[in-house]
Amino acid sequence: MPATADLEFLSVPREPSTGDTGRAASLISETEHRFRVHTAAYTKAEVLELEQQHIFRRAWCYVGHESELTKAGDFKTGHIGDQPILVTRSEDGGIHVMLNRCPHRGAVLCREPGGNRRALICPYHAWTFAIDGRLVSVTGRDDASGYSEFFEAPEGLYRVPRIETYRGFVFATLDAKAPALLDSLGRAKILIDRKLNQSPNGTLTIRSKPYVGIYEGNWKFHAENIIDGYHFMYTHQSFVKLQNKFGDTTGDFGVHKGGSASEMKKIRTRGSVWGCEGGHILNQKPAIDTQEMLSGPFAEYYQSIEKLYGAEEFQWIFGSNAGCIFPNFGMIHNQIRTWRPIAPDKTEVRIYLYDLDGAPPAFNEGMLRSQERFYGPSGHGMPDDIEIFAANQQGLSASQLEWLILERGMAAEKPLGDGDIEGLPSSETGHRAFWRAWRRSLSSGSGQ
């Protein structure tokens, strides 16, 4: 632990004061052999407000995929932290990200998840905006009770200042001075590359509207858990037993490999975790059955991918790869996942299932069935995780025990360069990288 003098404000009251970024950063206690996070980092409204200001409004946040916006007039709604946004495709093919708020009286323009419109019309007073956000008309502007010649009409909707895409993934930031997206992604872009390289075309298509869920816990539990290799055999015990008895016969499609619990544990402890300087986390396990893939029912498909990338990279492309792109974006199996804080103890999660373009239809269908089996509304895995998040949040009310322990695997880490660290697959290497980026964001006021 740090010297007592470093945390004097912990004495009265017992938890740190969180009214400024410097003190909020002290919610992490790190030495050579210890790493602790204070309970208040998950529970205090003051911390969440700082996160909104210095993380979500500064970092590159995933806002959509180009396959969701294929035609002029297509739009989707979403959030950057607590800021409601619209993502649109205009007539010239451009993608635009704007705040979903009429500049007149503040009403949101679109409330549905997505669709297609010729124009964006405010439901309150029918101010009309082009699909790219330009103000087109103000109703009753020339009426006797309308606007005078001195009226300064806004140009249109507020445009998010920076938009960049990587292989069809659309990211945006409210910070005009943020570093370039690729610089921010760093080594973590390998996650996107390997997922897309499963497609013979190198692309994917979002399959449907998202599955949306809300859980009673802090958003950071989800960011940590999507790559947590430690919890699976314990949190998902009922699924492990189901897999042991029935295997793939109920639709797993080989996603969760291993017949017995011991075999599954052995498979899940392969590979490594990368904790990246930008707060991104990758949990990677190479495929173990490549020869079976190359000679099985989808042999031609698999062989085409191996020919493109080589035998060594092939086993990583079709391994078990999951990741968290700091702060709000995850990929696992054939799904894209986003999360946003609603309150310190309430989080919304959106899950988007996708098809690999050019892959056999039966392969995409099989992956969809596996998602339903584990992650869907009636699946086995998602209810387990949500229950744990709620249990965590409930337990944090026991605030006399101040610090959470994130020290698993510290002694076995190796530097990768550029501040990135490699750890063992069930270590908390990625968790620590996430929290270090969190601390830097709150300390410096910059996103990453």
Side-chain angles (χ1 to χ4, degrees):
M1 291 290 190
T4 304
D6 293 338
L7 294 173
E8 288 181 351
F9 56 87
L10 279 173
S11 54
V12 181
R14 287 188 61 81
E15 66 269 336
S17 170
T18 55
D20 60 71
T21 57
R23 289 189 171 185
S26 67
L27 295 172
I28 297 175
S29 172
E30 180 179 10
T31 65
E32 183 180 358
H33 302 294
R34 299 173 72 104
F35 197 102
R36 307 287 168 100
V37 177
H38 199 277
T39 296
Y42 294 89
T43 60
K44 296 300 182 181
E46 298 92 334
V47 171
L48 177 56
E49 179 55 34
L50 291 171
E51 291 171 340
Q52 296 287 6
Q53 293 179 27
H54 298 289
I55 295 179
F56 286 97
R57 296 178 200 168
R58 301 287 180 88
W60 283 103
C61 291
Y62 171 79
V63 297
H65 189 267
E66 289 180 347
S67 66
E68 298 175 272
L69 307 160
T70 59
K71 304 184 299 295
D74 282 354
F75 74 91
K76 67 168 292 188
T77 58
H79 287 80
I80 297 177
D82 60 359
Q83 305 294 297
I85 61 167
L86 273 168
V87 187
T88 67
R89 174 84 73 175
S90 59
E91 293 287 346
D92 62 3
I95 291 179
H96 308 269
V97 183
M98 302 158 287
L99 293 190
N100 190 3
R101 168 181 166 171
C102 180
H104 176 214
R105 299 294 296 277
V108 296
L109 296 161
C110 302
R111 302 179 74 176
E112 58 267 45
N116 184 278
R117 293 187 179 182
R118 296 179 61 185
L120 304 169
I121 302 175
C122 178
Y124 198 179
H125 299 97
W127 282 32
T128 301
F129 304 84
I131 200 68
D132 64 1
R134 292 176 292 109
L135 179 62
V136 174
S137 68
V138 175
T139 52
R141 182 168 184 168
D142 298 325
D143 292 350
S145 59
Y147 298 92
S148 75
E149 60 182 301
F150 302 106
F151 173 57
E152 297 181 5
E155 291 183 4
L157 304 181
Y158 178 89
R159 298 173 185 272
V160 172
R162 297 278 300 283
I163 307 167
E164 293 188 25
T165 63
Y166 181 67
R167 297 192 67 172
F169 292 81
V170 184
F171 292 81
T173 177
L174 292 162
D175 182 4
K177 298 180 180 180
L181 173 62
L182 282 181
D183 292 338
S184 177
L185 288 175
R187 199 181 305 266
K189 78 180 184 68
I190 291 174
L191 172 69
I192 297 174
D193 289 338
R194 284 178 170 162
K195 290 293 187 183
L196 288 180
N197 291 348
Q198 292 180 352
S199 160
N201 303 343
T203 58
L204 61 81
T205 298
I206 300 291
R207 188 171 181 125
S208 64
K209 292 180 180 179
Y211 159 50
V212 183
I214 294 176
Y215 67 83
E216 296 179 349
N218 191 268
W219 69 275
K220 297 182 288 293
F221 285 136
H222 197 285
E224 296 169 323
N225 189 75
I226 194 172
I227 51 78
D228 186 282
Y230 188 24
H231 79 287
F232 189 93
M233 300 300 297
Y234 313 107
T235 301
H236 303 303
Q237 286 186 54
S238 60
F239 177 79
V240 172
K241 293 177 181 177
L242 179 81
Q243 185 76 352
N244 185 32
K245 185 173 182 179
F246 296 105
D248 280 357
T249 60
T250 57
D252 186 62
F253 203 65
V255 170
H256 299 94
K257 294 180 172 63
S260 66
S262 60
E263 183 184 355
M264 184 178 286
K265 186 174 183 179
K266 183 178 179 180
I267 291 171
R268 299 191 72 84
T269 52
R270 302 170 76 245
S272 64
V273 170
W274 290 353
C276 298
E277 177 76 6
H280 318 306
I281 317 168
L282 280 72
N283 194 324
Q284 306 172 104
K285 298 173 176 60
I288 60 174
D289 51 1
T290 56
Q291 291 308 310
E292 181 181 333
M293 293 179 183
L294 294 167
S295 60
F298 300 109
E300 184 177 350
Y301 158 60
Y302 285 123
Q303 289 168 12
S304 70
I305 303 299
E306 185 189 44
K307 185 176 181 180
L308 283 171
Y309 302 104
E312 183 177 354
E313 181 63 11
F314 176 84
Q315 68 176 343
W316 289 105
I317 289 172
F318 286 102
S320 178
N321 301 316
C324 164
I325 304 296
F326 187 89
N328 78 319
F329 171 61
M331 296 187 77
I332 185 169
H333 304 308
N334 276 42
Q335 65 172 256
I336 295 165
R337 198 181 296 184
T338 65
W339 48 88
R340 70 175 180 96
I342 298 173
D345 58 353
K346 184 176 290 188
T347 303
E348 179 194 82
V349 179
R350 294 190 175 203
I351 295 176
Y352 299 82
L353 305 182
Y354 63 80
D355 284 344
L356 294 164
D357 297 336
F363 181 89
N364 283 323
E365 195 66 20
M367 291 302 296
L368 175 62
R369 298 282 84 81
S370 74
Q371 305 301 308
E372 292 173 340
R373 185 188 196 223
F374 196 77
Y375 295 104
S378 60
H380 295 273
M382 186 63 72
D384 291 341
D385 289 332
I386 288 174
E387 181 63 21
I388 284 296
F389 299 156
N392 287 352
Q393 200 72 33
Q394 183 178 1
L396 293 182
S397 63
S399 57
Q400 294 299 105
L401 186 63
E402 299 175 82
W403 299 92
L404 288 80
I405 304 169
L406 284 86
E407 296 168 7
R408 185 171 175 83
M410 288 186 74
E413 294 179 338
K414 299 184 297 184
L416 293 170
D418 299 322
D420 299 346
I421 301 171
E422 182 178 50
L424 297 175
S426 66
S427 73
E428 290 165 340
T429 297
H431 301 60
R432 291 185 287 273
F434 177 94
W435 279 104
R436 291 183 186 113
W438 182 93
R439 177 176 57 196
R440 284 194 301 274
S441 297
L442 296 194
S443 297
S444 66
S446 61
Q448 294 177 50

